[in-house]
Amino acid sequence: MSRIEAAARLLAPVIRRTPLLASRVLSERTGAEVWLKCENLQRTGSFKPRGAYNRIANLPQEARERGVVAASAGNHAQGVAWSAAALGLTSTVFMPIGASLPKLMATKAYGAQVRQVGETIDESLDAALEFADRSGATLIHPFDHPDIVAGQATVGTEIAEQLPEVGTVLVPTGGGGLLAGVAVALRHLAPDVRVIGVQAAEAAAWPDSLAAGRPVRVERMATMADGIAVGRPGVVPFSHVAQHVSDIVTVDEEALSQALLLCLERAKLIVEPAGAAAVAALMSRTPEELGLRGPVCAILSGGNIDPLLLTRVIGHGLSAAGRYLAVRVTISDRPGALGALLAVIGKTSASVVDVAHSRTGTWLAVDEVEVALTLETRGSDHRDDVLTALANAGYAVRAAD
């Protein structure tokens, strides 16, 4: 705990004390008082500068003179770049070739020399390690170092100060630095609190690792939550998580997109998919499944999202929430048939977003056409009403691809 207290003193002048905001919609959904810890409003848009600054500031002078190096596709890159610049050090960041353009540009803007190497973060990390060996620069790992964990732990100390009666804290989890830090801090400051790690189901290395008693690499990852898509938990965080974390749960892609949409619509907060994982758990699992004890705090770990991805995720979230309906309807190829179809839809009060009319499907008879419709609906019940109205009118309907 002394290391965490030292990190808190070091970071106090430079790191934002992010707000804790009440969420009425999540409180009503869970039956518990729910608060959001807004690390998406932190410097560089995520919690990452806490650990990066603490790690870099604790380097000896000789190491500082040689600079630092990191490998990251986004948030850690920006955290290292900003921290190094704030402390007067040079930084080099290796990023995959396909890294998000906004994150790439932000990392450069914070002062780092960016080198794009490899298709994956593992390939970028290999290049960063080779650069560290050649140049003498210190590698700043995103989660696997005691100073990193201590820096991230200051999120937990702030929660304990802002919400002393906190009963449950949900933490988006990748390599485990934030989860381990929050868990250790709260075990000392609020020993009865339940700390729950939340992983994307398509990148969940922690359940198998905890079962095996050691960090185990997940074979495949495919999630929109790139900020927590880590193939193997860190060695340093592992023992803290195994000892102090109450549970690890997973959330699917649909839950992540709906959580991002809820944060945007109801909390007026832009949050990236990884940053919304804790909210996704509250939306997709029952209070009994999570073992919630109130008050509840969900950490929004980051808000750095590519606007193009945001557009796609919002569309996915709207569809998952029953706000969009995409269908293909077969109608006869005669004048007035499309108008009759749209009249049926009009009576349901659904709003037509897009219409595409095609005669080329091999499954269509010579006198048939297929209409692809995107409709705006008011929720799942309204969506079902639209489908029922189409069926009652005799239309053959299938889901859009």
Side-chain angles (χ1 to χ4, degrees), residues 11-12 14-18 37 39 41-45 50 158:
L11 295 174
V14 294
I15 293 295
R16 291 174 181 157
R17 183 183 176 91
T18 52
K37 177 62 171 170
E39 283 296 291
L41 303 179
Q42 184 55 263
R43 292 185 182 275
T44 78
R50 295 176 183 266
E158 288 183 16

Side-chain angles (χ1 to χ4, degrees), residues 32 58 65 73 83 135 146 226 323:
N58 281 303
E65 292 172 357
S83 299
S135 67
D226 59 342
R323 303 273 296 282

Side-chain angles (χ1 to χ4, degrees), residues 26-357:
L26 290 173
S27 296
E28 291 175 350
R29 181 184 291 266
T30 61
E33 182 183 334
V34 177
W35 296 79
L36 305 176
K37 177 62 171 170
C38 299
E39 283 296 291
N40 59 311
L41 303 179
Q42 184 55 263
R43 292 185 182 275
T44 78
S46 85
F47 69 96
K48 288 293 189 177
R50 295 176 183 266
Y53 191 98
N54 189 54
R55 172 79 170 101
I56 296 171
N58 281 303
L59 291 175
Q61 183 59 36
E62 182 181 351
R64 288 189 179 206
E65 292 172 357
R66 293 193 296 268
V68 296
V69 61
S72 169
N75 289 344
H76 180 60
Q78 294 172 71
V80 168
W82 174 82
S83 299
L87 289 163
L89 280 68
T90 60
S91 63
T92 303
V93 176
F94 288 81
M95 304 181 76
I97 293 172
S100 160
L101 181 60
K103 293 180 178 180
L104 178 70
M105 298 305 294
T107 303
K108 290 181 178 179
Y110 286 125
Q113 181 181 4
V114 175
R115 302 187 183 186
Q116 290 186 268
V117 176
E119 299 295 330
T120 67
I121 190 60
D122 287 337
E123 293 174 351
S124 298
L125 180 58
D126 288 342
L129 288 167
E130 191 276 331
F131 178 87
D133 288 341
R134 185 178 71 252
S135 67
T138 300
L139 178 72
I140 307 300
H141 198 280
F143 50 82
D144 214 359
H145 191 279
D147 285 340
I148 295 288
V149 173
Q152 320 304 27
T154 59
V155 176
T157 62
E158 288 183 16
I159 292 171
E161 293 166 358
Q162 293 169 307
L163 191 64
E165 66 276 23
V166 64
T168 307
V169 177
L170 293 99
V171 187
T173 304
L178 178 62
L179 179 62
V182 169
V184 172
L186 290 176
R187 279 295 171 263
H188 285 85
L189 299 172
D192 294 330
V193 73
R194 277 180 58 79
V195 177
I196 300 172
V198 185
Q199 287 211 286
E202 298 301 320
W206 276 99
D208 288 346
S209 295
L210 291 171
R214 56 181 175 81
V216 174
R217 181 172 295 280
V218 68
E219 293 300 323
R220 177 182 174 274
M221 295 187 294
T223 177
M224 70 178 78
D226 59 342
I228 53 174
V230 176
R232 182 177 180 272
V235 174
V236 171
F238 185 84
S239 61
H240 299 304
V241 171
Q243 183 177 358
H244 299 300
V245 171
S246 304
D247 197 7
I248 300 281
V249 300
T250 61
V251 291
D252 61 22
E253 300 298 286
E254 182 174 301
L256 288 167
S257 63
Q258 290 193 57
L260 186 149
L261 184 62
L262 181 139
C263 289
L264 184 63
E265 277 195 313
R266 303 301 295 273
K268 316 307 179 190
L269 294 168
I270 296 177
V271 182
E272 63 190 273
V279 173
L282 292 173
M283 294 178 65
S284 61
R285 291 177 175 267
T286 67
E288 292 75 22
E289 287 175 322
L290 294 171
L292 292 184
R293 295 199 298 261
V296 175
C297 178
I299 297 175
L300 306 181
S301 58
N304 293 317
I305 183 169
D306 187 324
L308 293 176
L309 176 59
L310 179 61
T311 301
R312 294 197 298 270
V313 173
I314 287 174
H316 187 271
L318 288 170
S319 179
R323 303 273 296 282
Y324 273 159
L325 173 62
V327 294
R328 296 182 181 275
V329 183
T330 301
I331 63 174
S332 62
D333 188 10
R334 60 178 177 78
L338 179 58
L341 169 64
L342 295 177
V344 172
I345 293 170
K347 291 178 181 178
T348 69
S349 298
S351 178
V352 177
V353 177
D354 189 51
V355 179
H357 192 266

Side-chain angles (χ1 to χ4, degrees), residues 387-399:
L387 292 172
T388 299
L390 290 170
N392 290 341
Y395 289 105
V397 180
R398 65 187 181 91

